[in-house]
Amino acid sequence: MKTKLIILINLIVYGLNINAQNWSCVGLNGGVDNGVLALTVKGTNIYAGGRFIWAGNTQGNHIAKFDGIDWRVVGIGTNGDVKALANDGINLYAGGNFSKAGGISASNIAKYNTSSLPSAGSDVSICSGNSITLSATGGTAYK
């Protein structure tokens, strides 16, 4: 499991061109500017969380979405490291060392609704606690 995660992280950060067997950057505008600590996949999107501020030309603030072409924002991110990510098909759960998610108070764990259009904090629900690993199913996150 650990080896698969390391390979997946390398695929996200550096990209892999299978035909040429050469590594390349992920996204039109490059990878991330600091460490990736967590990944989760929802459909064709890959969500990355970590110590980074920038993902390509996108100011992700510790969390960003790679849509197969380039990096996209996830709300306005968090104000600290994201160490764990999980999703249940609709919601994205982030855990780490932060006190704000989406611009509103959070205590190290938050839920982001990926199916709605962002609007002033309404897409973020707050929980509290410490988390290093997360799992989600049926609208419930487990830490």
Side-chain angles (χ1 to χ4, degrees), residues 36-105:
V36 172
L37 303 174
L39 297 168
T40 191
V41 176
K42 178 183 175 260
T44 58
N45 297 314
I46 301 171
Y47 291 86
R51 294 187 173 107
F52 61 89
I53 299 299
W54 291 91
N57 286 341
T58 299
Q59 187 172 353
N61 295 323
H62 307 282
I63 189 166
K65 173 179 75 172
F66 181 69
D67 65 7
I69 297 171
D70 211 355
W71 293 100
R72 309 289 179 213
V73 298
V74 177
I76 60 172
T78 65
N79 69 340
D81 295 349
V82 171
K83 295 184 174 185
L85 290 173
N87 80 80
D88 62 9
I90 295 174
N91 301 300
L92 176 67
Y93 299 88
N97 296 330
F98 52 84
S99 61
K100 288 191 181 280
I104 59 176
S105 293

Side-chain angles (χ1 to χ4, degrees), residues 78-79 81-84 93-101 105-111 125-134 141-143:
T78 65
N79 69 340
D81 295 349
V82 171
K83 295 184 174 185
Y93 299 88
N97 296 330
F98 52 84
S99 61
K100 288 191 181 280
S105 293
S107 183
N108 303 314
I109 187 167
K111 176 176 79 172
S125 298
I126 304 305
C127 310
S128 64
N130 267 334
S131 60
I132 294 177
T133 61
L134 291 173
Y142 302 91
K143 60 179 186 162

